[in-house]
Amino acid sequence: MDRVVKATGYDGLSSRAVTEPELREFLVRCFEIADHELPSAAFWTRGEVSGHFAMSFSVGIEGRLAERVGRHEFARRFAAHFDAFVLYGDTEPPGQWTVVLPDGSSLRAAMEEDGDHFELYAASAPIPGLPDLRPL
């Protein structure tokens, strides 16, 4: 019997704000779908945030697309494509997040959140442009 992958969502924060047309183009290329498939196969929301991040995003995708591009790979492609660092959560210990850098490397980080304001305060490796983070 074939394994069925359920629809899922990829949520995160980006250090770079991305316009709706840029995000749309990225999703079509990332998931290798036709432009007209985007509203039904993958949908998104995005919002402005402050602190170490400029944008929040939430991408809902069909199971077939999740098989094609997993959560970490999505964050890696997003970070490289937009030259940003991307924070997302998956299986980290409580209070920690994964951050993917534009070069594809990833690390763990801890942050403080106050509404739509997100500040990293510790990381397991240096993050370019954020020299004051303490070691995690």
Side-chain angles (χ1 to χ4, degrees), residues 11 23 31 53 73 78 86 117:
D11 302 324
L23 184 56
F31 293 115
F53 298 93
E73 180 62 17
F78 191 106
V86 174
H117 185 85

Side-chain angles (χ1 to χ4, degrees), residues 8 22 28 39 44 55 60 72 96 119 121 123 127 131 133:
T8 190
E22 289 175 307
V28 166
W44 71 91
M55 181 184 91
H72 182 77
Q96 294 184 19
E119 291 277 336
Y121 63 85
I127 297 177
L133 300 180

